[in-house]
Amino acid sequence: EQYVKAIELDPTQAYYYTNAGLAYERLQAYDEAEQFYNKALEVDDTYAEAYNSRGNIHYNRQEYQEAEADYLRALDLEPDNPIYLRNLGSNLNKLGRPEKAMHYFEKSIRSDPGFADAYNSRGNLFFNEGRYEEAMADYRRAIELKNDEAVFHRNLGLCYEKTGSIDKAMTAYSNAIERNPTYADAYN
């Protein structure tokens, strides 16, 4: 309601529409979120965050070609944004282009060496390629940067399990559960 009120008071601010879209996205109301992002881009077609956010909607719907177009447009406007770089990398990985995905994960990390999600994403790529030691290094770095993220601990546990370190895997899974008791994948 507050976002709608802000829009009513000043409909010329693209970020008001984007904020409303983000609220709907958190509720997984993707159609409504996309409408707000589209409106933001009608107001300001140079607002990179709206392209990135609309790309996330497409990604969540598994519309990877559309997501790629939006992420690329966001990066045209803000070429060093680590979030946009990482999002494009994740999307390219879904499209079966791991080499290009790796390029964008590494560029994201260079852009912001403190961005834990980029290390996690690159770790996932290493994991999927069976490069467990490199994946573990990235998951450990992600945990150093953002220790409260359960998925990072769970991913590290998967690596330990793959390499036969069951005790370490169990510790990592316990750490994931401790951080988020409702994270079902940590129990599996």
Side-chain angles (χ1 to χ4, degrees):
E1 286 182 33
Q2 301 301 328
Y3 297 121
V4 173
K5 183 65 174 173
I7 291 167
E8 288 172 2
L9 292 171
D10 187 356
T12 67
Q13 300 300 316
Y15 70 95
Y16 291 169
Y17 295 98
T18 301
N19 286 343
L22 290 169
Y24 279 104
E25 187 175 343
R26 280 190 289 276
L27 299 172
Q28 296 183 347
Y30 297 137
D31 291 340
E32 292 85 352
E34 185 177 18
Q35 290 172 10
F36 278 104
Y37 299 144
N38 288 338
K39 186 63 179 169
L41 293 168
E42 286 175 25
V43 170
D44 181 358
D45 67 353
T46 66
Y47 189 47
E49 180 60 33
Y51 286 106
N52 180 68
S53 296
R54 190 172 68 184
N56 291 340
I57 295 295
H58 291 303
Y59 183 90
N60 288 327
R61 290 179 179 155
Q62 299 179 357
E63 300 166 351
Y64 301 121
Q65 297 294 337
E66 294 87 345
E68 181 179 10
D70 278 338
Y71 293 143
L72 286 170
R73 181 66 178 123
L75 285 166
D76 283 344
L77 297 165
E78 293 183 30
D80 295 322
N81 185 301
I83 295 169
Y84 305 167
L85 290 163
R86 182 244 171 199
N87 288 350
L88 179 58
S90 295
N91 191 72
L92 290 167
N93 196 33
K94 290 288 188 179
L95 286 168
R97 293 159 48 197
E99 298 83 14
K100 289 293 280 183
M102 181 65 76
H103 166 78
Y104 284 99
F105 293 147
E106 290 177 352
K107 199 169 175 183
S108 176
I109 290 166
R110 280 193 307 275
S111 179
D112 181 359
F115 185 35
D117 291 332
Y119 289 97
N120 183 65
S121 295
R122 187 175 69 178
N124 291 340
L125 190 61
F126 285 140
F127 181 88
N128 291 336
E129 293 177 347
R131 296 163 64 180
Y132 303 121
E133 294 300 323
E134 291 164 287
M136 282 191 277
D138 274 352
Y139 295 145
R140 285 188 199 106
R141 181 66 180 136
I143 289 167
E144 287 173 19
L145 294 167
K146 194 174 177 184
N147 188 39
D148 62 337
E149 190 65 47
V151 70
F152 300 167
H153 291 274
R154 184 245 183 192
N155 290 346
L156 181 60
L158 291 172
C159 280
Y160 283 134
E161 192 172 331
K162 286 286 189 183
T163 59
S165 298
I166 302 305
D167 289 342
K168 289 181 178 180
M170 296 308 294
T171 298
Y173 295 143
S174 294
N175 287 337
I177 292 165
E178 182 180 305
R179 280 145 185 84
N180 184 354
T182 64
Y183 180 44
D185 285 345
Y187 294 92
N188 198 3

